[in-house]
Amino acid sequence: MKIIWTFTLLMIPGVVSSISVTGYSGREIIITCKYDREYTANEKYFCKGQWSTICSDLIKTEEKNKAAHSGRFSLYDDTRAAVFTVTIRDLSEQDSGTYQCGVDKSGQLDSYTEVNLNIITETNNHGTQSPSSSSFSSGSSLIISVSVLLLLIITVILLVIVTLWRR
């Protein structure tokens, strides 16, 4: 499955408190969460909900440098880089909402970043869901077509200028 977006979330209190990310139905998204090196031994988690109310853990782990899995969710804590990545596979519209990417700091307020996830459902001309790669194919084809057309127009203009200049 292709990776649609990789997002780095800074977990430095007061610098970034909220970020919005977009994924596509049927695909996966990887969210990269940075934390201070002093918290490499702490438990990392990803939960759904508002921080001020109940945030239901989707995945939580104390594992270091090893992926933890829970259903469609994976969490890998790379202690050397002081980041952990959360992967959500097979996205659906129901995944849209507010999440928290956090580091458990026992006895203190956890470090966290609010993640607002928006899921887009792609459809083709027949109203059915497109294959995962179709938006990239059509988008790439459009860019290539426009580039070739612009190149041809520039070539014609240069030929006209050269022809008029030689007269």
Side-chain angles (χ1 to χ4, degrees), residues 1 61 96 99 118-119 121 154:
M1 205 176 239
T61 188
S96 290
Y99 295 82
N118 180 43
I119 304 300
T121 302
I154 291 170

Side-chain angles (χ1 to χ4, degrees), residues 139-166:
S140 297
S141 297
L142 179 63
I143 291 170
I144 291 170
S145 298
V146 169
S147 298
V148 168
L149 181 61
L150 286 173
L151 186 60
L152 287 172
I153 290 171
I154 291 170
T155 304
V156 168
I157 290 172
L158 287 173
L159 285 172
V160 169
I161 290 172
V162 168
T163 304
L164 290 174
W165 183 70
R166 287 187 172 188

Side-chain angles (χ1 to χ4, degrees), residues 21-84:
V21 295
T22 301
Y24 292 89
S25 184
R27 300 193 191 168
E28 73 179 23
I29 191 165
I30 296 177
I31 302 168
T32 303
C33 307
K34 183 176 176 139
Y35 58 86
D36 291 333
R37 289 197 180 278
E38 65 186 286
Y39 301 117
T40 56
N42 295 53
E43 187 173 51
K44 312 307 182 300
Y45 62 88
F46 190 73
C47 60
K48 186 168 187 177
Q50 295 290 334
W51 184 255
S52 59
T53 60
I54 296 175
C55 191
S56 304
D57 288 340
L58 297 168
I59 190 162
K60 182 182 242 184
T61 188
E62 291 182 20
E63 292 286 334
K64 308 298 173 217
N65 304 306
K66 181 180 177 186
H69 302 279
S70 178
R72 297 180 303 118
F73 296 84
S74 299
L75 190 153
Y76 179 83
D77 185 8
D78 182 350
T79 58
R80 284 173 274 139
V83 298
F84 67 95

Side-chain angles (χ1 to χ4, degrees), residues 67-114:
H69 302 279
S70 178
R72 297 180 303 118
F73 296 84
S74 299
L75 190 153
Y76 179 83
D77 185 8
D78 182 350
T79 58
R80 284 173 274 139
V83 298
F84 67 95
T85 56
V86 175
T87 303
I88 309 172
R89 289 174 295 285
D90 194 25
L91 292 166
S92 68
E93 288 184 60
Q94 290 77 20
D95 291 318
S96 290
T98 303
Y99 295 82
Q100 307 299 325
C101 193
V103 175
D104 188 356
K105 294 167 44 177
S106 298
Q108 300 177 34
L109 183 62
D110 290 354
S111 293
Y112 70 94
T113 298
E114 183 175 276

